[in-house]
Amino acid sequence: MVQNVATVMAELEPEDFHLLSGIEHGMRFSRWVAEGKLPEFSRLNSEEVDYRIDRCMDRDLLERKTIQYTGYRLTFEGYDALALRTFSERETIDGVGAPLGVGKESDVYEARSYQPLALKYHREGYTNFREVRKEREYTADKEHRSWLYTARKAAEREYDALETVYPDVSVPRPVDQNRHAIVMERIDGVELSRAELESEQVVGVCDLVCSEMAAAYDAGYVHADMSEYNVFVASDGVTVFDWPQAVPADHGNSRELLRRDVGNVLGHFDRKYPRETPDIDREALTDALIGGSFDGVREFVE
């Protein structure tokens, strides 16, 4: 599990960040940065580099390998520290609080500011880079990419999607993005997978989720990873989150991906609320979401 680097930020000095930034630069060319390259990349002398390596290693911001040659790379904690420092310099956030959610591909924390915010670090590619590269379109044509690239591109892709669809679609309001991290509005609610809906609420909530998919398509995006695990349900409606796999509506596979999203959403309601969920023509529903004619799932009962 990646540790919350906010606890050590106050201990770090500008020269520590020079070293971390230098290693980040070097990782553009190889997964491990040779020790001899560090003075050049960090613009620190050799003695200073040795001192900063020890400080950063003690705080788990770096990893070392000694096979063939001595090399270093950032840990996710080191990459987090660089992003967090940038957000601090921009005055985007004042601090980091408790975790809101921890998963395989992202960690989300409370972010302190003048309003409730959330800080999301993307984790794609660190432990299973080959599998992520195979699944993620933005790495499919690259022969060699580090997990830094994979995670950063995921954050950029998600932030672009949020900026495009907000506020026409009920998504967290995007605030800032740097490297693999996004600052966004904090959303309160219950994950659809854990929500216990009353019988009379089931079709209505399903309608709300489908309406958001229709609005997203009209705004130019297909979520492409819809499920009961990335929808929050609250008293004032639903919010769709986790958009790193989103594709433009004019993408060649957009209809297929939207059809899959429809299947995932309806599949959840079918499984959890079989009596309340009618049999829906998923192809016709998908066409209605694309065509802007959606007005409720009951219109598509088979």
Side-chain angles (χ1 to χ4, degrees), residues 82-254:
L82 289 170
L84 198 53
R85 184 175 191 242
T86 298
F87 289 140
S88 176
E89 291 174 337
R90 293 175 180 171
E91 299 183 350
T92 302
I93 60 177
D94 300 324
V96 179
L100 298 173
V102 177
K104 290 181 179 179
E105 296 191 345
S106 66
D107 293 340
V108 184
Y109 292 90
E110 295 176 336
R112 292 195 290 268
S113 183
Y114 65 92
Q115 59 184 324
L117 297 177
L119 169 64
K120 178 177 182 178
Y121 296 115
H122 278 268
R123 304 298 189 204
E124 287 90 341
Y126 188 58
T127 57
N128 196 1
F129 179 72
R130 287 185 179 177
E131 197 63 29
V132 171
R133 184 173 62 182
K134 186 168 59 177
E135 294 177 0
R136 297 290 194 267
E137 181 177 290
Y138 45 78
T139 60
D141 61 342
K142 306 299 181 182
E143 193 69 23
H144 161 67
R145 289 298 187 190
S146 71
W147 54 261
L148 275 76
Y149 176 86
T150 307
R152 176 174 62 81
K153 292 301 291 184
E156 290 174 353
R157 190 176 183 127
E158 179 168 28
Y159 193 76
D160 287 346
L162 291 175
E163 279 200 309
T164 299
V165 304
Y166 181 85
D168 298 322
V169 183
S170 181
V171 298
R173 178 177 62 85
V175 175
D176 201 357
Q177 183 262 323
N178 180 258
R179 295 176 170 88
H180 65 315
I182 298 174
V183 178
M184 66 187 82
E185 174 188 16
R186 177 176 171 177
I187 299 297
D188 292 321
V190 179
E191 200 174 82
L192 180 59
S193 64
R194 296 187 290 111
E196 296 297 334
L197 303 177
E198 301 294 335
S199 294
E200 62 272 15
Q201 295 176 311
V202 172
V203 172
V205 172
C206 186
D207 282 347
L208 288 174
V209 177
C210 290
S211 293
E212 297 302 334
M213 289 194 287
Y217 191 90
D218 186 59
Y221 270 98
V222 173
H223 186 282
D225 192 31
M226 283 291 294
S227 75
E228 64 271 28
Y229 301 107
N230 47 37
V231 176
F232 275 148
V233 180
S235 59
D236 59 348
V238 301
T239 303
V240 182
F241 57 96
D242 278 351
W243 290 76
Q245 295 191 51
V247 298
D250 60 1
H251 187 280
N253 294 328
S254 64

Side-chain angles (χ1 to χ4, degrees), residues 55-70:
R55 284 176 51 83
C56 291
M57 290 286 293
D58 288 344
R59 291 162 177 81
D60 296 323
L61 306 179
L62 295 179
E63 290 180 306
R64 176 194 287 126
K65 77 132 186 169
T66 55
I67 299 174
Q68 295 180 328
Y69 64 93
T70 300

